[in-house]
Amino acid sequence: MAAPPCAFSPRGCRLFASSGPDGRLRVWDTAGSRLQHEYVPSAHLSAACTCLAWAPGGPRQPPSKDGPQRKKRKSEAGEVDKQLDILAIGTAVGSILLYSTVKGELQSKLDGGHDSRVNCVRWHQDSCCLYSCSDDKHIVEWNTQTCKVKCKWKGDNGSVTCLCISPDGKMLLSAGRTIKLWDLETKEVYRHFTGHATSVSSLMFTTVKPMNESKPFDGITGLYFLSGAIHDRLLSVWQIRSDRKEKNAVMSFTVTDEPTFVDLTISEVKEEPVKLAVVCRDGQLHIFEHILNGYCKKPLTSNCTIQIATPGNDGDSTPKPVPILAAAFCTDKQSLLLVYGNTLQPIIEKVSLNTSESHICLVRDIQKVLSLKTDAALTKVKTPVVNLDTKVLVPGIPGHSTAIKTPASGKEKKKNKRKPGETEESIEERLGALDIDVSKVKTPGGLPQTDSFAVLLVQGLESNDAEILNKVLNTRKENIVKNTVARMPIHAVIPLLHELTKRLQGNPYSASVMVRWLKSVFTVHASYLSTLPDLIPQLGMLYQLMESRVKTLQKLSRLHGRLFILVTQVAASQTVQDVPEVNQTAKLVYEDDSSEEEGSDDEMIADKDSDENWDEDEEKDKEEQSDEQDMTVEKEINGDSDLEPENESEEE
Amino acid sequence: MVAPGSLRVVRCGGSALRGARAVFSADSKYLLCASGDFVKVYSVSTEEILRLMGGHADLVTGIQLNPHNHMQLYSSSLDGTIKLWDFMDGILIKTFTVGSKLLALYTLACAEDSVFVVIPKKGERDSYQLVSLKLTKGAGQDLEGKELSVVLDGVSASMKHIAFGREGAYVVSVKDVTLQVYFFKRKLLNRFSLSTMKTKGGDNHFSCVVCHPTEDCIATGHADGKIRLWRNFHHRKEYTYSTLHWHHDIVMDLAFSVEGTRLLSGGVESVLVQWHGESSCQKDFLPRLGSPIECISMSSDGALCCTLHTDNRITIINSNLRFSRSIQGLIKSRDIKTGLVVDPRTKALVLNGEPGHLQFYSLQSDQQLFSLDIVQRQYIHEAGLKQSDLVKVAFSARGTWLATVEESEEVTDPELQLKLWFYHEEAQSFQLNTRINTPHDNHITDMCFRDMDELGDDSLILVTTGRDCVFKVWVMVEDIDPEEHQSVSWSCDFVGSYHNYQATNCCFSEDGSLLAVSFEETVTVWDSLTWDLKCTFCHPPGNIRKICFGRLTCSKYLIGATDYGFLCCWNLLTCALEWSAHLNVVVLQPDPLSEHIAAVSWLSKESSLFVFKPNEPRPIYIQRNLCKEKILLAAFVPRDEPEMISSEKYLWLRKSQLFFLTDTQELMTLSTKSLEERLTPSSKQLAVEESIPVTPFSLLLGKHRHQQAQEDIDLGKPVVHNKQEQASPAVKELLHTPAHVLPSASFLCTIFINSLLISKESKSAEEVADEVEMESEKADDDSDEEDVTATEQEDTGHMELLGEITCKPSKSQEKELRKIRKMDYSWISAF
C-alpha cells in the first residue's frame, strides 16, 4: 500500500493535512503538534483519499482579476495573514473534493471529470485552476469557481500518476512512465523525457530561473526538475533544453528506499545550493545540498541522513526506529519540520538543520509524548516534567551561595590542598604520633570505651568508612563526646570538622547530634584551629551553614514571644473570669493589667529558659545571641517591635 | 511596491473577548464575538477566525443578530455608533451615529426597526438609561440615529443587567438590590427590592438577569451565589420567588435554554451548572473549565452553548454538557512581571499567563501555542489570597535552558524560588533540573543568561540581581555523585556586591566577557572570567532604570537610562561618557540581530519611540505619539525571513519585528505594510462556489424540506423543522405501524424510496429561478473563459466536450434515482 497522502500548507507550513488509512482527513497544527480538526468524507471508506493539495497562498495577485470584484474586496476587512484554506482531495472513485479548513466543511465536489482513481491534484499558482490526473489516462483542468471541467485531454497511454506546473504557470509536467511537458495554452506536448521504468510518483521543479543568465529566458528553457518513481531508489533531475535531442536525466540522487515525500528549497541565487529533503519508505530522511549546473554522471549520495529512534532504556532494551512521515523546510531554509511516529497521531517537530554531520539519529521518547486521547484538551496547559532526582539547593547547602572568597580562589584551593601534602609527615612519624596518643590515652584514662572511640573515629575518618563514622558520631553521651574529641590526634581535627559539616547539611535530627560534637571540637581544639592559616576557607562553609540556620531564629523567637503572650493572656482572662463572680467592680481592670504583667514576667522567664536550652544545642555566639534574644523579648513587651537586624555576619 | 507612507501601529494577539456575550449565527455554524474594537467571526467546527470586522473606533460593547435577517449583525460601540454588518462576507452595510457612548445593545423581533441601547444620562455621572433607538431607513451608508425615546431610567451600565421578556412584552433591569420590570403594553413599572440586611454574610446584590423564553419568569443571579426565579411579577405585592443555591461566590452569568426547561449558570468556580426545572436538586455540572466563566450564551437551535472565560477563552459546549471546542486568545494577566521574552526554540513570545503559568504565544500564527505550568500548585480562588506567581523568566541563547523565578508575596518576606529547566528533547518537554530556594533574601530584580552560543555547555552562566544588595552568578557543574541520574546541575559561583547598594539590572556584553550590573545610581562592569570589578559609571542624579550593551559594531558602548530622564552612552574603551540625551526612557530594548536599540519614552501622556545606534547620538528613527497608553514592555522578535523594506527609514525593521505591551495589556506591533496589503485576504482570490451535490438521499430530503419551507413561507408561518412526518402517506404509514407487524426492511425500502420520489413536473419554478440567479453572479467572469475554451476545443482534436453533462441536472438526477430504485436492498435486512 502506498504511503498515506499528506501535505503541508503553503507559506509557512502552519498546518499539516494527512489522510489516514481509515479515510479520515486530519489537519494538524505544526506549531503545537496538535490536532486542529478532523473531517470524515461521506464516502470515506469506498472513496478513500488518494492525494491532497493545498490551494496556493501567495502574494501574487492574479492580474486578470482587477475588475470591479477586486474593488469590492478591498473594502472588506479581512483576516490577518491567513493562508488559503482550501484543500483539494482526490479520491479513489474519481471525484475531487474541495474542503475548507477554516470553515471545517466541504466546499464543493468536482464530479464528472474522472471515472477512475485520481492520482494527483495540483493547483495553478495564479488562477483558480485545478489540474488532476487519473488512472483513466486523462488530465483534467477544472474551473474551481464554477466547479466544472474546463478541459480534458488524454495524457498518456497508461495511467497518469503525477503532475507539476511550471514556475511561470504556462507549462505542465505530467508523468506516467514517461514524463511529458505540456503547453497549457495549446495542450500540446512540448517535450518528452524517458528514463523511469516504473510510474513516477513525484515531480517537482527545482529552479525558477536558469542558472546561466546569458540567454534570454522564455519561462521554461533551462529549468531543472526532479522526479522520483515508485520502487525506485533514484531521484532523477532533468533539464529542459532548447534542443530536443537530450532526453536523459542530468543527474540523480540515491536514497535508501522508495521516496514517499519530497520537499526542496528553491535557490534564488546562483551560488546557493538547492536543498532537498527526501523521506523514504523506510522512514529515513535524506538531505541533499547541491548546486545544479549541468551533468553529473555519478549518482549523488545524501549529505545528511536523519533517523529517529526510541531511547529504549526502560522495559524494552532495544531502541526502535520511529518512521519519519514527512518533512518540509521552514521559511528560513535552515530548519526542518519533521513529522514522525504513527500516522494516526504524528508528532511534528521543528529541527534546526546541521548538515555537517552525515548521519543524525534523533532519540525521541514517543511513548511519553504520545497520549491517545479522544477528547481534545480543554486548555493548552502543559506540565513540565519534575523528577524526584532534581537537585534542590536550600540556604546552607554548598552551591547555594559561595563563601566570600578572594578572587581566583579555585587555584588557591588547589594550592592549599597541595601544601599539606608537601609538609605531610611520613607514615612512620604518623604511626609514632598515633602510638604516643594511644599510650597516653591508655595510661591515664583507663576508659576503654572512649579510647576505642577516638581510635575508631580516626580510622573512620582516614578510611572514610560511613559505618564506623555512624557508629561513633551517633553517640549522644556528652562525656563520651568530650573525651573522644580530647583524645583524638590533632591532624584528625580538620577532617572531622569537614565530616561534621557534611552531616550538618542533612537531616535536622542528625544536626542536633552533630552540634554536640562541633561544640566540643571548638572548645577543645580552639587554639589549634586559630593557628591554621587557611581557617577561613576551611570553616567558611560551616559558617554559612550556621548563619543560614540561625537566620530564622530571630523570627521564631519573636513568634514564640507573641504566642506566649497570647497564651498567658488567655490563661489570665480565664482567671479573670473566675474572679468576676466574686466581685464585679471596676477594679477588675487593674487586676487584669497586673495579671498581664505577671504573664509577661512568666514569659520572660520561659524565654530565658528556652534560650538556655538552645545554648546547649548551639555552640557558637551563644552568649551574645541569648542576650540579644532577651533584649528583643523585652523590647517587644514594651511594645517596641521595631528591631534592628543584628549585624553578625562579619567575617571571622 | 509602493513606498509606505509611515509605520502603522497594529494590534495583535487579539483583544479581550469579554466585551459582550458571544452570539451564534442562526445555523450554529459560526460564532460571533466582540473583541476590542473588532467583531470576530469564528467557525464553530474548526476554531479558526473566519472574518475580522473592524470599523469601530472604540470598544465594541454589544453584538446582536438582526432579528429580521439572520445574516446580518448589529454591533454597538463606545464610539457612539451602531453598525450593521453582513458577517458572512464581512461587509459593513450601514452605520448609525448616535452620538453618546453606547454601553449595551439589545434587539427584539417584535420591535420593527428599532433597537435598544444603554446610554449615559446627560448631565449626571454614573447614571444610565435604556433608550429605544429608531433606525431610520435611509439610502446611504452613514445614517444618523437621533430618534431616541427613554424606556427606563436608572439602569446599570452592564449588559448583563437588562433582559427582555418573552416576545418583548416586558423589560427587566436590575441594579444593586432593586429589580424593575416595565411592561410595554400596559406601560406599567413594577419595582421590587431585596433587603440588604436579610442575608448574613454575603451581599445579595444582583449580578445578572435573564428572562424565560416562553413563560413569565425572570432568573436573577446574585453576588452571594444564589439564583432567584421570580414569578407573578405582574402584581406588586403577590410576587413570588424561589431560590436556587449552589455557587459559593458571585453568579457571573445565566442563560435559559431555547425551550426554557434548563437554566445554565456559571461563576468563579469555573463550573457550568445546568438546572433542570425549578427544583434545586436536579442539576448537572460541567466542572474544570479552567477559569472563571464570565458570559454564557446559547445557540438558537439549542445544540450548543458557549462560555467566555476570564482568561480570554471561548469554550463551546454541546447541549449534553460535553466540552466540544475552545478558542484561546492571549491571556491577559493582571500584571506582566516577566516581561516579554522570546523563546529561541519556538520563536514564540513568552509572558505571564494564568497565575503560575507561562504562556507561549506564537506571533506568526497569532495564537497561543501552550502554557506551561511552572509553579504546579493548585489555584485557589479567594479574595485577598496572594498567589505565587512568576516574576522573572530567561532563556538561554538556544532555548535549551529556561530559568524561572517564582515569588509568593508575603508581607514581610518574599518566598522565592529559582528553577532551572532543561529542554529534554527525547520527551519534548521541559524538565526541572535544579530548584533553588531563597536564591536571594529579597526580591529578584533582574536575571539574564550569558548570551553566547552554547558550544561548550559549561560556558553557560546565569546572573541574578536582588534587592538584598548582591548579585549572584550561577554556573553549571558536573555532578560527582554517581548515584544521581543527572549529570549536571547548577550552583552558585560568585556573589558580588557594591557598597551595599541594591542591585537593579544586569546585562552581558555580546561576547560574554563583560557583565554590567547596575547598583542604584552606579553601573559596575565586571570581568566574567575572574569576577573582578573593572570599572564603574555613574550619571547622577537618579537611579539606573535600564542598561544594555551595544551589539556588533557598537559593542564597545554601554547604554543606560536613568530615573531622572537621561539616556547615557558610555564608551567601554575610554571609560568615559560618549553622549547623553535628556529623555524619560521607560523601555530600552536592543535588537538581537542588529546594532539598533529601541527606546520608548513616556512624556506628557504619550509614548514615543526612538531607534538609535549607540555610536551616534542622533536617532535614526523617531515616532512621536506612538500610542496614548503607557508602554511597559517591548521585545524584538526575529523574523523568519528578512522582510523587503523599500524605505531607508525603516531598515531597522528588516530583521526583527518590534512588539510592545501597553499598560492596558494590549500587544502591539509596528507594520510597514499598508492597511490594504495587510487586510487583503489572500484567500479571496479563490472564491470557490459552494456546490455540494452530494448523496441522492440528501438531495431528495433537501428538496422536500425546501418545498415545505416554501409552502410555509407562503402561508406566512414561521419555519418549523420538525414537520417532516406528514410528508407522504406512505411514510406516515411506515412510521405509525407497530414494528412487529412490519414486513422486512428490504421489502419496505422500495416503497419508501418510491414514495419519496418526485414526479417530473413538481420541480418548482422558484428553484429554477434561484439557480439562475446564482449563475448570473459568476457569469461575467466565466463567459470570457468559456469562450476561450470553446475555441480551443475546436482546435485540439483529442479533447472531449463535457459541458453538456452538467447542464442537465434533472436528467442525470432522474437517472440516478432510477438506479437507486432498481438497486438491491436486501442488505438492509441484515441489520
Side-chain angles (χ1 to χ4, degrees), chain A residues 31 350 382, chain B residues 340-351 358-364 369-370 372 393-402 423 430 635-638:
Chain A
K350 199 172 179 180
K382 279 187 183 175
Chain B
L340 298 178
V341 185
V342 180
D343 176 18
R345 219 170 33 78
T346 57
K347 302 273 189 316
L349 201 64
V350 179
L351 61 161
L358 207 57
Q359 63 172 325
F360 286 64
Y361 194 84
S362 166
L363 296 162
Q364 282 82 24
L369 285 184
F370 55 89
L372 208 60
V393 168
F395 281 95
S396 67
R398 280 202 200 158
T400 47
W401 286 95
L402 163 70
Y423 189 75
F430 278 103
F636 272 105
V637 180

Side-chain angles (χ1 to χ4, degrees), chain B residues 599-715:
Chain B
V600 178
S601 76
W602 172 249
L603 207 67
S604 61
K605 303 242 167 128
E606 62 173 46
S607 296
S608 308
L609 173 74
F610 299 86
V611 181
F612 60 94
K613 283 186 185 181
N615 54 5
E616 47 188 327
R618 285 175 57 82
I620 56 169
Y621 179 76
I622 302 173
Q623 174 143 2
R624 298 215 180 263
N625 199 1
L626 194 63
C627 64
K628 286 269 174 265
E629 294 103 28
K630 187 173 181 178
I631 288 171
L632 297 180
L633 298 161
F636 272 105
V637 180
R639 291 182 198 270
D640 275 349
E641 43 191 333
E643 196 168 85
M644 302 302 283
I645 288 171
S646 47
S647 172
E648 188 85 5
K649 226 168 130 190
Y650 310 124
L651 271 182
W652 58 278
L653 275 173
R654 212 172 79 86
K655 284 182 180 164
S656 356
Q657 206 174 353
L658 185 65
F659 285 88
F660 16 71
L661 196 85
T662 63
D663 53 356
T664 52
Q665 310 281 313
E666 294 278 357
L667 190 65
M668 314 242 207
T669 186
L670 287 173
S671 170
T672 53
K673 288 181 190 164
S674 61
L675 187 72
E676 271 169 30
E677 235 175 298
R678 264 186 75 86
L679 289 184
T680 311
S682 45
S683 60
K684 275 293 120 191
Q685 56 172 297
L686 238 189
V688 174
E689 189 179 310
E690 287 195 36
S691 70
I692 315 162
V694 264
T695 57
F697 263 115
S698 73
L699 205 70
L700 283 170
L701 289 172
K703 234 173 225 172
H704 255 253
R705 197 168 286 175
H706 191 75
Q707 276 184 335
Q708 195 76 34
Q710 285 286 343
E711 280 167 27
D712 285 342
I713 287 165
D714 290 345
L715 292 170

Side-chain angles (χ1 to χ4, degrees), chain B residues 407-427:
Chain B
E407 188 179 293
S408 68
E409 263 182 68
E410 303 289 330
V411 186
T412 51
D413 241 4
E415 200 181 305
L416 291 169
Q417 261 190 13
L418 172 65
K419 283 178 176 170
L420 285 138
W421 306 83
F422 176 68
Y423 189 75
H424 199 64
E425 293 224 310
E426 272 183 29

Side-chain angles (χ1 to χ4, degrees), chain A residues 69 77 79 82 84 102-103 108 145-146 151 365 378 380 382 385 387 389-391 393 399-400 555, chain B residues 45-46 50 288 323 326 368 371 373 413 426 430-432 435 437-438 492 682-683 689 781-782 799:
Chain A
Q69 247 185 333
E79 48 264 70
K82 278 273 183 299
L84 258 202
V102 168
K103 286 183 184 166
S108 49
Q145 284 196 326
T146 56
C151 192
D365 194 353
L378 183 67
K380 294 177 180 173
K382 279 187 183 175
V385 184
N387 288 336
D389 60 348
T390 44
K391 192 172 177 187
L393 290 178
H400 185 270
K555 283 179 204 155
Chain B
S45 57
T46 62
L50 222 60
R288 291 181 289 280
F323 157 73
S326 80
Q368 195 197 35
S371 60
D373 186 3
D413 241 4
E426 272 183 29
F430 278 103
Q431 196 169 18
L432 185 62
R435 197 181 82 212
N437 288 346
T438 332
C492 184
S682 45
S683 60
E689 189 179 310
D781 293 1
D782 294 347
M799 271 183 266

Side-chain angles (χ1 to χ4, degrees), chain B residues 450 471 473 494 508 512-516 524-535:
Chain B
R450 184 153 79 168
F471 72 91
V473 181
F494 180 70
F508 270 104
S513 62
L514 291 177
L515 167 72
T524 57
V525 181
W526 304 72
D527 187 332
S528 73
L529 269 180
T530 56
W531 300 119
D532 281 332
L533 180 61
K534 287 280 175 195
C535 57

Side-chain angles (χ1 to χ4, degrees), chain A residues 14-15 29 31-32 34 36-37 55-56 58 60-62 65 69-70 72-74 76-86 98 101-109 112 123 125-126 128 138 143-154 185-187 311 331-332 340 349-350 363-365 368-369 375-387 389-395 399-402 405 407 551 555, chain B residues 29-30 43 45-54 89-91 288-290 313 315 322-323 325-326 357 365 367-373 376 413 421 425-439 441 472 474 479 484-486 489-495 532 640-641 676 678-693 775 778 781-782 785 789 792-793 796 798-800 802 806:
Chain A
R14 198 175 79 81
L15 297 172
D29 181 19
R34 172 172 160 273
Q36 197 84 359
H37 49 100
R60 277 182 281 186
Q61 290 283 336
K65 284 189 75 182
Q69 247 185 333
R70 183 166 157 77
K72 190 174 150 196
R73 260 151 212 163
K74 265 185 192 171
E76 295 171 16
E79 48 264 70
V80 200
D81 278 346
K82 278 273 183 299
Q83 78 289 342
L84 258 202
D85 58 320
I86 304 286
L98 297 185
T101 53
V102 168
K103 286 183 184 166
E105 58 191 29
L106 196 64
Q107 198 83 4
S108 49
K109 188 177 179 183
W123 291 88
Q125 295 96 313
D126 302 327
C128 48
H138 283 85
N143 184 343
T144 51
Q145 284 196 326
T146 56
C147 303
K148 278 177 189 153
V149 176
K150 240 172 139 180
C151 192
K152 177 174 174 174
W153 71 95
K154 193 174 176 187
E185 264 184 42
T186 58
K187 309 287 189 300
T331 42
D332 59 351
Y340 57 87
E349 190 192 335
K350 199 172 179 180
V363 179
R364 295 289 180 269
D365 194 353
K368 261 184 198 164
V369 179
D375 282 343
L378 183 67
T379 52
K380 294 177 180 173
V381 175
K382 279 187 183 175
T383 312
V385 184
V386 177
N387 288 336
D389 60 348
T390 44
K391 192 172 177 187
V392 180
L393 290 178
V394 292
H400 185 270
S401 56
T402 48
K405 52 196 174 186
K551 204 188 276 169
K555 283 179 204 155
Chain B
K29 273 186 182 169
Y30 308 108
S43 160
S45 57
T46 62
E47 315 166 13
E48 301 255 6
I49 293 188
L50 222 60
R51 295 258 177 278
L52 185 69
M53 300 190 289
D89 295 324
I91 300 167
R288 291 181 289 280
L289 281 175
R313 183 161 48 89
T315 309
R322 280 281 301 260
F323 157 73
R325 303 230 156 238
S326 80
H357 292 195
S365 55
Q367 61 174 356
Q368 195 197 35
L369 285 184
F370 55 89
S371 60
L372 208 60
D373 186 3
Q376 304 198 0
D413 241 4
W421 306 83
E425 293 224 310
E426 272 183 29
Q428 295 283 303
S429 147
F430 278 103
Q431 196 169 18
L432 185 62
N433 180 275
T434 307
R435 197 181 82 212
I436 300 159
N437 288 346
T438 332
D441 294 338
K472 284 191 179 181
W474 307 87
D479 272 338
E484 287 182 42
H485 289 289
Q486 289 178 333
S489 66
W490 290 77
S491 75
C492 184
D493 183 52
F494 180 70
V495 180
D532 281 332
D640 275 349
E641 43 191 333
E676 271 169 30
R678 264 186 75 86
L679 289 184
T680 311
S682 45
S683 60
K684 275 293 120 191
Q685 56 172 297
L686 238 189
V688 174
E689 189 179 310
E690 287 195 36
S691 70
I692 315 162
E775 293 293 316
K778 299 288 170 198
D781 293 1
D782 294 347
E785 291 170 10
T789 35
E792 274 169 16
Q793 280 164 0
T796 51
H798 56 268
M799 271 183 266
E800 289 166 29
L802 270 167
T806 40

